[in-house]
Amino acid sequence: MKIKSLRGTKDILPSDTQLWQSIEGVAKGVFDTYGYQEIRTPLLEDAELFKRSVGETSEIVMKEMYEFSDKGGRNLALRPEATASVVRAYIEHNLDKKEGLAKLYYIGPMFRGERPQAGRSRQFHQIGVEALGSSSPYLDAEMISLFVAILNALGISGFNILLNNSGCRKDRKENEERIKKALSGKTGGLCNECKDRYERNVFRVFDCKNDDCKELAHSLPSDIVTFCEECSIHFDVVCETLRELNINFKHEPHLARGLDYYTKTVFEVTHPALGAKDAIGAGGRYDNLIADMGGPSLGAVGFALGVERTIMALGEGLDAEEAGEAFIYIATLGEKAYKRGFNLLSELRNEGISAL
Ligand code: HAM
């Protein structure tokens, strides 16, 4: 029996790698302009890292993370995302002491055991950015403008930026209680998954695809969620700065992210090529995560865009560069000419000329 690639994973063949390299090249060019440097972290981490950051009760950790014991009995995970790994590396290597603000980017595969479908795979790839060491709302706006700059440089238009305030930990706790109270007595109308979400993370009910849940959640008065003065001002500055940068966005009060580490600004970028639900990329601020993981108390913000979904949004948009294609072809007839051709190929290549 032939061994095939695993369901939800894909070979990226030479006919496609040029497009991938072009996308990565465009992103790297934009990162250079914004002063971001690359970080490469392991694909394999202690599973505890994601439990403590993404959240023990999040869907990603509970249902999707590839978690296993190795032969030494260590509890490991294939990274489902890279923010946690970057924060771990930031703390482990004292990057906060080396630079005031660490501006880092990464490109690579992530793993989530989701049901494979268009735009959803088990090994997928992200181009992500993290700025660690600042609580400034201007950095949130810069992050979104960096996201837009990448999409513009790739020639992707027609995307929508959805923005929301998720508040600080105290706001979140209070809002959670208020939403739970408003929904109590009505939980019978929620799907089984949302009944569970009601207990674990009630904000996720807003994110459910089930029409009944959506209707119930969206029927709650908009002022049910409130924020402290600091978080309100922070969000106002982010919105104001984006307007000054001429970046269109929509404040989406029901936007909830499925990772537990977010505070204050959260955002998602959607595109019609992906259908209503899936985002091309998403991110937000995480002001407690560095301290929670044992580092200094410093704010941070970041995002990641999915490469497969970027390709879907591109459609026929980006011409893969022709780099890699042979520039000169040499055809020979007979043994003597073949030898001469062979030597010529070597000479051309030594001169840096692509030849085949
Ligand atoms: P996320 O929303 O879980 O955020 O993932 C970001 C992007 O990765 C999604 O918008 C999507 O494009 C892509 N993605 C996620 N899951 C899949 C999948 N199964 N198949 C294909 N593409 C997928 C994060 O991962 C955060 N770490 C983002 C972040 C960085 N927040 C702050 N810094």
Side-chain angles (χ1 to χ4, degrees), residues 52-53 83-84 86-88 90-92 96 100-102 130-134 169 261 285-301:
R52 279 175 50 192
S53 54
T83 308
V86 171
V87 168
R88 179 201 47 69
Y90 176 80
I91 298 168
E92 193 169 328
D96 61 301
L101 180 65
E130 314 292 346
L132 307 106
S134 164
R169 212 165 247 172
Y261 49 64
R285 177 161 278 287
Y286 45 96
D287 284 347
N288 301 122
L289 186 57
I290 302 175
D292 286 351
M293 301 304 289
S297 180
L298 291 168
V301 57

Side-chain angles (χ1 to χ4, degrees), residues 108-121:
M110 311 290 155
F111 306 86
R112 295 183 195 175
E114 297 192 76
R115 204 163 62 82
Q117 50 188 285
R120 202 167 283 266
S121 43

Side-chain angles (χ1 to χ4, degrees), residues 12 14-31 107 127 150 153-155 305 307 310-311 314 317-325:
I12 304 162
S15 50
D16 291 326
T17 45
Q18 283 182 26
L19 175 62
W20 282 70
Q21 285 170 7
S22 299
I23 293 171
E24 290 166 8
V26 166
K28 282 178 184 171
V30 179
F31 292 145
I107 299 178
I127 296 179
I150 294 174
L154 288 168
L305 66 90
V307 181
T310 303
I311 291 173
L314 268 173
L318 187 75
D319 281 333
E321 274 174 29
E322 294 204 349
E325 280 187 14

Side-chain angles (χ1 to χ4, degrees), residues 54 60 64 80-84 106 110-115 117 119-126 128-130 147 257-259 261-262 267-269 274 278-286 301-310:
V54 176
I60 294 177
E64 299 165 1
E81 62 106 54
T83 308
Y106 49 86
M110 311 290 155
F111 306 86
R112 295 183 195 175
E114 297 192 76
R115 204 163 62 82
Q117 50 188 285
R120 202 167 283 266
S121 43
R122 292 183 174 162
Q123 175 174 331
F124 59 97
H125 299 76
Q126 284 185 349
V129 192
E130 314 292 346
F147 199 133
R257 304 270 302 125
L259 303 96
Y261 49 64
Y262 290 115
F267 63 95
E268 278 187 5
V269 180
L274 305 171
D278 285 333
I280 195 171
R285 177 161 278 287
Y286 45 96
V301 57
F303 73 81
L305 66 90
V307 181
E308 287 82 355
R309 294 188 190 174
T310 303

Side-chain angles (χ1 to χ4, degrees), residues 312-351:
M312 286 167 78
L314 268 173
E316 300 296 313
L318 187 75
D319 281 333
E321 274 174 29
E322 294 204 349
E325 280 187 14
F327 191 67
I328 293 179
Y329 286 90
I330 295 181
T332 60
L333 200 64
E335 178 78 6
K336 215 170 147 194
Y338 181 85
K339 268 193 182 161
R340 176 72 193 110
F342 191 82
N343 291 338
L344 205 55
L345 270 183
S346 170
E347 282 169 36
L348 286 165
R349 288 170 182 162
N350 286 342
E351 289 299 319

Side-chain angles (χ1 to χ4, degrees), residues 28 31-32 36-40 103-108:
K28 282 178 184 171
F31 292 145
D32 275 351
Y36 282 78
Q37 289 182 311
E38 188 179 9
I39 182 164
R40 299 186 189 194
K103 296 172 98 178
L104 307 168
Y105 77 85
Y106 49 86
I107 299 178

